[in-house]
Amino acid sequence: MHVSVVIPALNEEKTVVDVVRKALSFADEVIVVDDGSTDRTAELARQAGAHVIRHPRNAGQWSALRTGFREALRRGFDIVITMDADGQHDPTDIPRLLEPILEGRADLVIGSRLRGRSVTMIPYRYAGIKFFSKLLSTFMRVNLTDVTSGFRAYCSWLLKALVKLMRERQYGILEATIIAWRLGARIEEKPIKFVPRRTSKKGNIRFFLNLIRVLLRALMAHLRSSSRLKAITYGLVSRSRSSQEG
């Protein structure tokens, strides 16, 4: 199977080169989506060996990810890893995320910062991760510890569905998880290493309020689940299995 790493980036010139070079050791290609950076992020990522796509202006993290997903699917990749450009995620964990998909056990693998290890993290950020993980675990009946982690591995059929169904431009991590579950995707977690940044937009109150907004909207969409969702799932899974058998 061919593996691509998709990295959304906004003004990450200090770290993007190291992240791209390390990720290329574990993937066939790295796609960096520069989401309206005003520094040298795109230039340096390209020099490091990434395939770079530039948004002329900032469109949001999940808009950047969807751009990367479409490009990876267009280029025929079977598995896509998503990770941050800021150095919080360690590319040496990529093989661990790939394993469940390569072995046919999972369609979505989430890299958990909290499973099987203790981490140093801002207290309210830690509490938020635990809250959302417990809530979704109870609702979906799947034991998850870190549903807000962006270090993930997706199989191609699931990516095709996410590109069709997702609405959120910036705070899409919970929406993607719920859609995957609604589609019947097999979800697994793997422990990962984590290097927290001293400052992060993902730790503030506004971030978590937006996650609550996205969560409520995604749950409402689940309650209104229609036959269209089942048709999309059946078609994508059937084509995926046929291509693998061929």
Side-chain angles (χ1 to χ4, degrees), residues 220-241:
M220 289 297 293
H222 168 67
L223 296 176
R224 297 192 301 268
S225 183
S226 65
S227 58
R228 174 175 175 266
L229 195 65
K230 295 178 181 178
I232 289 173
T233 308
Y234 178 78
L236 292 172
V237 173
S238 296
R239 286 195 293 271
S240 176
R241 288 175 178 170

Side-chain angles (χ1 to χ4, degrees), residues 6 20 45 58 63 65-66 69 75 81 85 87 109 122 154 163-164 236 239:
V6 172
V20 168
N58 180 244
S63 287
L65 281 171
R66 278 199 296 276
F69 291 165
R75 296 165 79 89
I81 301 286
V109 182
I122 300 171
Y154 298 86
V163 167
K164 287 176 178 288
L236 292 172
R239 286 195 293 271

